[in-house]
Amino acid sequence: MSATELVALVCCDLGSIVRGRSLPTAQLGARLQAGVGWVPANMSITPLGAVAEQTPFGSTGDLRLLPDAETQVRVEARSGESALEFVLCDIVEPDGTPWECCPRRFLREALDDLSREYGIRVIVSFEHEFQLISDAPAAPPFSLEAQRRFDPLGPELMRALLQGGVQPELFFAEYAPHQFEIPVSPAEGLAGADRSVVLKEIVRDVSRHHDVRASFAPLLDPASAGNGVHIHLSLIDAAGRPLLFDASRPGCLSEVGERFAAGILGHADALSALTAPSPVSAMRLMPHRWSVGAVCVARANREALLRIPSIVPLTGVEPASQMRLEYRGADATANPYLALGALVLAGLDGLRAKLPAPPILDRDPSVLDEADATRYGVGAMPDSLEASLEALAGDNTVRGWLKPLLYDAYVGVKRSELQAAEAIDISELCRRYAAIY
Ligand code: GLU
Ligand code: MG
């Protein structure tokens, strides 16, 4: 262990890169009130490295990264390494006023709106897939051998995640080469999104110490399965009673659930600009990749944008508490606070408008003929980041959720990624994003 340990005060930026500043851990207490300095233009730095050409920020201005002490994470070191310690921060003005581009603020306000207007709270779990970058031949999908091949990385990851407070539930090999998944227990609102940030940093850090890179990029190989982020949502009332289950309705989805789902489906195209926002994201969201083959809600169907996972009587947990909606259209290039905040606001929009129940699809969307696809309201996801950004620009409701400064900064970052991607073929692009995420 080194004599001086460091704790990082960090935020998750618009491209979902975690950035910040570190200080000796012994001085953290003295920094909790005022945080550390930050610069507005940092929010226009793209995942590729440079400040976006199109940015609302100049060289002026000062901000603070203000630690949220409840989010402090510490993962003990193995010998010869230092402990991983960081605290998630809000981005605020020097006088403590929330900054209008702070992603945690965006989510907090979305959750507050839902709670104030309908007394509804959101319980959420981000389900992440990732791949180890390795030239070694892959073991068979889901196999025990695939789990053991990088041993002791699996148990080390679980140990670190337990210490980091993200409550990992399982460790398993997924379908693609060297692909793994670690589902975590759900948490309420902001804490659920915090868990997504913490999980990725811990997995990358522990893997780094085992000399292998863990990548959460949406697609490493255009010919293979991608790395999804599936956002599992449950709704509860102020007293904690579950609100999504109604055995008398199609799919056992309550009226509240139907309206919430309809809101998300209705804004699906614009939402994709916030949930799957890299130049490689759309390629993952093609039919037959078990990501999102179609914009619809369906029961136990891995081609639907919104899946209703099966109720499992074997668990003994009452069905109402098991019921959730799984949004399958996100990936790790999305800022989890913006993605979840936008899903919450889309659901809220469906509640306000009392939207009619979306039909619950009961088959693979790709077998529908055109007439049935229309009847079921099944459409395709935008097929490029360009199309997603156009959908966002054209959806006044979704666009209106983002304060103008946040919208300008966000679109600036995304446009500059698009521009950089223009002349690069998809395989090379996948490699570049794999090195970043
Ligand atoms: N890898 C798939 C995706 O890109 C998800 C597979 C699954 O876990 O259902 O979303
Ligand atoms: Mg999976």
Side-chain angles (χ1 to χ4, degrees), residues 286-309:
M286 297 283 173
H288 308 301
R289 286 181 181 275
W290 290 24
S291 55
V292 180
V295 177
C296 61
V297 56
R299 225 175 150 168
N301 189 327
R302 289 173 184 77
E303 283 282 296
L305 177 61
L306 281 178
R307 179 174 79 118
I308 304 173

Side-chain angles (χ1 to χ4, degrees), residues 127 129 174 181:
E127 179 193 319
E129 295 169 330
E174 251 282 356
E181 181 171 324

Side-chain angles (χ1 to χ4, degrees), residues 244 246 249-255 257-258 261 297 308 323 325 360:
L244 286 183
D246 183 341
R249 302 181 80 84
C252 295
L253 189 60
S254 66
E255 190 174 54
E258 289 168 352
V297 56
I308 304 173
M323 190 71 174
L325 287 168
I360 312 253

Side-chain angles (χ1 to χ4, degrees), residues 234-250:
S234 320
L235 304 181
I236 58 173
D237 68 12
R241 281 182 296 258
L243 295 173
L244 286 183
F245 185 79
D246 183 341
S248 70
R249 302 181 80 84

